[in-house]
Amino acid sequence: EQQRICVRYCQDKRYSLVTVISDASSGFKFDRPGMEELKKYLPEANIVLATEIDRIARQDRVLGKIELLCEQNNAKLEFVFEERDTKGSTLISDVKVATAKEENYMRMMRVQRGKKAKHSLGGHIARAPFGYKFDKNVRPSQLVPNNDHGLVQSIFNLRADNITYMQIVEKLSLYTSKKQIGLSDVAKIMGLKKIISNPVYLGYVSFQGNLRRGKHVSATDEKIFLKANKCTSFEEFCKRNKLKLMENN
């Protein structure tokens, strides 16, 4: 019944459904099979949907861990109400609708405050970009280089030398995984352009158009970054991309 309600809600909202997870384990625990499955699918999703809070967690401590997990993957929790068919439950149903809306709003505001606070301290808000991963042993979690970090450096160096995007793809043998092998040349070029224009690789973090110094290791230096982006100064880059440079707290 809960699955039917959530699937219908997704259809009404025109959400693209990634998967449906069923878990009969206790909501008092975070470490349970459903959470392990959620971790597997979260990188592909931006919303985690449940009918009510107690269907996913029955303690604030557990709910906090789930919210943190969602935040680390740039996703959010959202709730619907359980439908009732009898006339006698109309008032209860209406109250549940209002409660669900209030819960969603309050959660959204809390998540936004958390993201803003994390950004003010130089923390990365969205999913880990190509070439990085989150060090989850640090709180708040921080970006650290992964095995593709050197590849990112090569992309910037080649682009700074005026190598075309398609030549970069060929030189570095990019987009060779099963999911990427059918991508068009346009899609490949757009993917590289997103990397080149992302200030996170110069050591910055952005949120809502504001740019601050991050705590992570950069993938390139300012000279190469500006050359790859065809800019003469970082101020020009910020203006072109409508970014406002801020000081960290």
Side-chain angles (χ1 to χ4, degrees), residues 171-206:
K171 281 179 177 290
L172 300 179
S173 301
L174 303 176
Y175 301 107
T176 55
S177 70
K178 289 182 179 180
K179 288 185 178 180
Q180 299 170 333
I181 204 163
L183 287 176
S184 66
D185 288 350
V186 173
K188 293 175 182 178
I189 290 172
M190 290 302 295
L192 283 180
K193 282 186 175 180
K194 285 183 179 179
I195 291 175
I196 293 296
S197 63
N198 193 340
V200 72
Y201 296 112
L202 190 56
Y204 289 91
V205 290
S206 61

Side-chain angles (χ1 to χ4, degrees), residues 29 41 62 82 89 103 120 135 145 163 168 172 188 198 205-206 222 232 245 249:
K29 299 186 299 181
Y41 286 103
V62 177
E82 291 189 28
S89 66
E103 286 172 349
S120 71
D135 183 355
I163 305 299
I168 293 174
L172 300 179
K188 293 175 182 178
N198 193 340
V205 290
S206 61
E222 186 168 317
T232 57
L245 196 56
N249 288 351

Side-chain angles (χ1 to χ4, degrees), residues 130-133 144-152:
F130 181 70
Y132 290 96
K133 63 181 179 180
V144 293
N146 66 9
N147 294 334
D148 293 317
H149 199 251
L151 196 57
V152 173

Side-chain angles (χ1 to χ4, degrees), residues 61-73:
R61 174 183 58 83
V62 177
L63 181 61
K65 286 186 176 182
I66 297 173
E67 287 182 326
L68 178 61
L69 177 65
C70 290
E71 180 184 333
Q72 289 172 341
N73 288 275

Side-chain angles (χ1 to χ4, degrees), residues 4-194:
R4 183 187 67 81
I5 293 169
C6 287
V7 169
R8 182 177 174 182
Y9 183 86
C10 288
Q11 291 171 343
D12 291 342
K13 294 283 188 177
R14 296 186 178 180
Y15 291 164
S16 178
L17 187 63
V18 175
T19 189
V20 176
I21 299 174
S22 297
D23 190 357
S25 302
S26 172
F28 287 98
K29 299 186 299 181
F30 176 77
D31 295 320
R32 57 188 199 260
M35 287 300 106
E36 292 305 311
E37 194 171 356
L38 178 62
K39 290 176 185 178
K40 183 171 66 176
Y41 286 103
L42 257 181
E44 303 174 34
N46 51 28
I47 292 175
V48 176
L49 185 66
T51 51
E52 295 180 78
I53 287 180
D54 60 7
R55 300 299 182 183
I56 197 169
R58 291 182 178 271
Q59 283 187 345
D60 289 342
R61 174 183 58 83
V62 177
L63 181 61
K65 286 186 176 182
I66 297 173
E67 287 182 326
L68 178 61
L69 177 65
C70 290
E71 180 184 333
Q72 289 172 341
N73 288 275
N74 200 29
K76 68 174 183 177
L77 281 174
E78 193 167 312
F79 298 94
V80 297
F81 71 99
E82 291 189 28
E83 296 172 333
R84 301 289 190 275
D85 295 325
T86 60
K87 292 181 179 179
S89 66
T90 301
L91 179 59
I92 295 175
S93 181
D94 289 343
V95 170
K96 282 182 173 288
V97 173
T99 302
K101 288 181 177 178
E102 180 67 14
E103 286 172 349
N104 287 335
Y105 175 75
M106 294 302 293
R107 180 157 286 96
M108 179 188 71
M109 295 302 294
R110 186 164 67 249
V111 168
Q112 288 298 310
R113 287 196 298 270
K115 287 182 176 181
K116 189 174 181 180
K118 183 178 179 180
H119 178 252
S120 71
L121 297 173
H124 183 71
I125 303 300
R127 296 175 185 174
F130 181 70
Y132 290 96
K133 63 181 179 180
F134 279 114
D135 183 355
K136 297 181 180 180
N137 295 318
V138 179
R139 289 289 180 268
S141 57
Q142 295 293 335
L143 290 177
V144 293
N146 66 9
N147 294 334
D148 293 317
H149 199 251
L151 196 57
V152 173
Q153 292 174 325
S154 298
I155 290 172
F156 274 95
N157 290 337
L158 288 170
R159 187 56 186 159
D161 287 336
N162 290 318
I163 305 299
T164 68
Y165 288 110
M166 287 310 299
Q167 286 175 332
I168 293 174
V169 170
E170 294 169 3
K171 281 179 177 290
L172 300 179
S173 301
L174 303 176
Y175 301 107
T176 55
S177 70
K178 289 182 179 180
K179 288 185 178 180
Q180 299 170 333
I181 204 163
L183 287 176
S184 66
D185 288 350
V186 173
K188 293 175 182 178
I189 290 172
M190 290 302 295
L192 283 180
K193 282 186 175 180
K194 285 183 179 179

